Amino acid sequence: MCLAAATGLAVSAMLLTNTTHPPAGANPLLIMLSGQSWDFLFTPVLLGAVIIVLWGKSMHKLQLRLQKST
């Protein structure tokens, strides 16, 4: 029951925010099945997502800067 609720809540949150990413629906399953604590959500999951977003934003700014200089 907990696995279905965790996955359902995660997918519902993604649908509500229009950020659907099907592989991210597996995160609640992996966390629940491996018995991880709430800290696991912050350390690898949230930290990894923030790093990816910051890297993407910096690459986008660099690409815009390079396009303006040519």
Side-chain angles (χ1 to χ4, degrees), residues 7-55:
T7 304
L9 286 171
V11 171
S12 296
M14 287 186 279
L15 288 172
L16 286 173
T17 58
N18 201 20
T19 57
T20 307
H21 181 62
N27 280 345
L29 289 174
L30 292 172
I31 292 167
M32 298 290 287
L33 287 173
S34 63
Q36 298 294 330
S37 67
W38 283 96
D39 293 336
F40 184 79
L41 283 174
F42 298 111
T43 306
V45 177
L46 181 63
L47 181 63
V50 168
I51 289 170
I52 289 171
V53 168
L54 291 175
W55 182 260

